[in-house]
Amino acid sequence: MSVAGLLKDTALFSGLSDDELGAVVNLCVERSFPAGSIVIRQGDVGDEMFIIQDGHIEIVVVGAKPELRVVVLGKGQILGEMSLLDMGFRSATARSATAVTLQVIKQADFAALCEQDHGIGYVVMRNLAADLSFKLRHRNLATM
Amino acid sequence: MIYKISYVVRGGTHPGAILDSDTLPKVDDEVTFGGALFGIVEVMELMPARGGFGFLHATCVPLDEAEDD
């Protein structure tokens, strides 16, 4: 699947025109990891967001014994998005449960695109808020 | 329509998953994630559909003990 096809099927980019999607495609860099790799390490400073193109990633919180397994994310899901918003430390570790292919967007590149095109910025930020809301609702149900 | 589905597993040790699907999940469907097989026992809308995406929640139970993630 092309990067444009992936982004079109990803809720984060829902509502963008083909031209706007093209601008986002230009920011994407592909990165692949074998199963068992640490993609994001809890506590690190993050400056990238990831979109899963293929494979599964498990989110775990380390420090607890045993580590807390939070959720498994599949194709079309995003991770690392919180640091795009708050520039804070990574809140959890992301480990590839299978071989994975990811599209990576740097925070600085994304912020520059949003500054340049507020329409893209509004749509993606709204979708980002909805994605965080979805994950929070999932988490609430998972802990019932 | 693409369905973004929150899978929560009741029983077992799997943490659950968030996965996209192009088919609407239904009660009694079987689904595989993380190398394990699960049966769906409940489906509900988690958030209203928007922009060609549906946002659903499915409660699952493990149907086997195999797990490879």
Side-chain angles (χ1 to χ4, degrees), chain B residues 16-49:
Chain B
I18 298 176
L19 305 173
D20 284 355
S21 172
D22 54 8
T23 58
L24 183 66
K26 302 185 301 295
V27 170
D28 292 334
D29 280 356
E30 293 183 355
V31 60
T32 300
F33 50 83
L37 182 65
F38 302 92
I40 296 176
V41 296
E42 178 190 38
V43 177
M44 59 183 253
E45 186 179 73
L46 201 54
M47 297 171 7

